[in-house]
Amino acid sequence: MGGIRPDLEGGHHGHTERKNAIVTGSTSGIGEGIAEALAKEGANIMYNGFGDKGAIDALVKKTADTYKVKTDYSNADMSKADQIAQLVADTEEKFGSVDILVNNAGIQFTANVEDFPNEKWESIISINLSAAFYAIKAAVPGMKKRKWGRIINISSAHGLVASPQKSAYVAAKHGILGLTKTVALETAQFGITCNGICPGWVFTPLVDKQAKDRAAKENRSEDDIKKEMLEEKMATMKFTTVEQIGGLAVFLCSPAADNITGAPLPIDGGWVAE
Ligand code: NAD
């Protein structure tokens, strides 16, 4: 596919250069899928997220070897403003710029609002919402200077509609779409776009945990629960895949998407259509 190559090869400074991307929370699930999709199109990738050190090192090396791009890794904690600013600064220093910023790191916790632990509320708001603000704040000056930038915020179908027991998550995911629209307006004349991706169910470790918890609570099989999750929300009866989300992220970085900004883009098998 044409992907982001035309920009990569054209180089807005008139010489061949690659785009440099940060994907937060890219050691697993959707972030890992987006990182791979961008690398496949030639972008250098700064990985971030938690997990087994050996597995992360192997992932970072594999992407570099497979796609002949530069990769690196930062263990910055997305609940810490200073570490997020440092992640952007380190990437600018190592790769020369941050052209693509994907705010993806996220966590989930479910409980009725009256039982929702305060510290869970605080950590979901900080990782799923405030982290995007801090990263955008740090990355936008360089993007404005270079007159090119792509900011992709991973919201959710829960950025557009709610489900019970998810007060913090739904608040954060609605919030990040508000942030997306404001940043889109502020950066619109600097060659920068800022959009939100709103996935429905994607079968990642984050959702696997919810399915397992529900299966245990209701004393049913996980397969049964997975089918029910699709029946409840996904008109297509199919999980969205990380490859499909990677494809949308690549599209948003391509010239065809230059005039899409401030948009919440559902990729949800019809979830929010109902
Ligand atoms: P996941 O659990 O597979 O991956 C989450 C990633 O975030 C991991 O790499 C993890 O290490 C990282 N992370 C968590 N806390 C962090 C912190 N404090 N600092 C740095 N990294 C941290 O989950 P996923 O399903 O791939 O979710 C990715 C994003 O997609 C989240 O924002 C989630 O809300 C969103 N989303 C997921 C679904 C779904 O069905 N899976 C649907 C809609 C939106």
Side-chain angles (χ1 to χ4, degrees):
M1 82 191 278
I4 48 182
R5 281 272 170 188
D7 283 301
L8 298 174
E9 309 259 312
H12 43 277
H13 298 306
H15 53 83
T16 303
E17 61 180 359
R18 292 177 176 276
K19 296 294 187 219
N20 302 313
I22 294 176
V23 185
T24 71
S26 43
T27 53
S28 169
I30 293 172
E32 187 181 339
I34 292 175
E36 178 164 8
L38 291 174
K40 200 172 178 177
E41 296 298 326
N44 299 318
I45 305 293
M46 177 59 83
Y47 279 91
N48 160 258
F50 300 148
D52 175 74
K53 175 93 173 56
I56 294 171
D57 287 349
L59 171 68
V60 171
K61 184 172 185 311
K62 183 169 174 231
T63 302
D65 292 348
T66 308
Y67 302 112
K68 313 283 173 244
V69 295
K70 282 193 265 178
T71 59
D72 210 322
Y73 165 74
S74 157
N75 65 358
D77 181 342
M78 291 300 113
S79 67
K80 305 276 190 307
D82 54 338
Q83 294 189 27
I84 298 167
Q86 196 60 49
L87 165 67
V88 173
D90 287 349
T91 309
E92 284 176 337
E93 195 181 316
K94 283 183 175 153
F95 290 168
S97 62
V98 175
D99 308 298
I100 300 168
L101 170 64
V102 183
N103 291 303
N104 164 81
I107 57 167
Q108 177 62 286
F109 185 84
T110 58
N112 283 331
V113 69
E114 66 273 29
D115 303 324
F116 215 93
N118 293 357
E119 64 278 10
K120 290 288 183 196
W121 170 274
E122 297 291 346
S123 55
I124 289 180
I125 296 299
S126 69
I127 296 165
N128 295 19
L129 174 59
S130 302
F133 161 72
Y134 291 120
I136 290 168
K137 184 176 177 178
V140 157
M143 290 178 175
K144 276 189 168 173
K145 204 159 57 190
R146 290 182 300 276
K147 300 229 172 336
W148 200 90
R150 293 290 174 268
I151 301 167
I152 300 173
N153 296 322
I154 306 305
S155 177
S156 169
H158 284 121
L160 298 164
V161 295
S163 296
Q165 283 91 46
K166 294 188 175 174
S167 50
Y169 189 86
V170 170
K173 294 300 185 182
H174 275 67
I176 203 172
L177 290 180
L179 173 67
T180 300
K181 292 174 194 174
T182 304
V183 172
L185 295 178
E186 289 183 17
T187 59
Q189 293 182 27
F190 292 87
I192 300 168
T193 69
C194 179
N195 292 290
I197 293 184
C198 302
W201 292 127
V202 186
F203 207 75
T204 66
L206 182 139
V207 168
D208 188 32
K209 181 176 181 305
Q210 288 177 67
K212 283 201 169 77
D213 288 351
R214 196 159 137 185
K217 206 156 114 196
E218 298 175 21
N219 198 17
R220 293 164 56 198
S221 77
E222 195 182 339
D223 277 352
D224 219 25
I225 298 291
K226 278 166 78 171
K227 187 158 168 276
E228 196 171 88
M229 287 167 81
L230 293 174
E231 276 165 3
E232 284 168 2
K233 303 290 190 191
M234 309 284 279
T236 55
M237 285 299 287
K238 284 189 183 122
F239 286 99
T240 298
T241 66
V242 302
E243 289 78 13
Q244 289 164 345
I245 297 180
L248 180 51
V250 166
F251 170 70
L252 286 172
C253 295
S254 76
D258 277 359
N259 217 22
I260 299 177
T261 196
L265 300 161
I267 174 161
D268 67 354
W271 181 326
V272 304
E274 201 171 330

